[in-house]
Amino acid sequence: DIGETVDEFALSPDRRTVYFAKRLGGSSIVTYDKTRRLLHQIPSGNWPAVIEVDSVLQRMMVLNVFESSIGVY
């Protein structure tokens, strides 16, 4: 289940994984592996709004609006 609202998404540098911000029904990041067709949820902070993937650091950063925090994965 990707979620009730998906307003933000990002692609991995190799374009094999899509990351979706799931705000309602639980604050998490949903990953979709396009090659294996698998969904996975990663717990996030409250109300993930912006997702950025840094190809140099090999990290994903998520802005959690209601916590005023940034999650690094």
Side-chain angles (χ1 to χ4, degrees):
D1 177 21
I2 290 180
E4 293 78 13
T5 63
V6 175
D7 296 323
E8 178 73 17
F9 71 93
L11 284 171
S12 63
D14 63 7
R15 299 188 169 279
R16 292 182 182 167
T17 305
V18 184
Y19 304 99
F20 300 95
K22 180 179 177 183
R23 296 179 189 164
L24 299 176
S27 293
S28 63
I29 303 301
V30 176
T31 66
Y32 177 66
D33 183 324
K34 298 187 313 182
T35 312
R36 299 184 311 182
R37 296 183 177 198
L38 293 175
L39 286 175
H40 178 73
Q41 286 196 44
I42 302 169
S44 176
N46 198 355
W47 202 264
V50 178
I51 302 172
E52 291 292 329
V53 178
D54 188 308
S55 61
V56 174
L57 296 175
Q58 296 292 307
R59 298 279 186 221
M60 173 179 57
M61 278 70 90
V62 179
L63 172 64
N64 303 303
V65 173
F66 289 154
E67 290 180 0
S68 299
S69 67
I70 296 175
V72 180
Y73 306 88

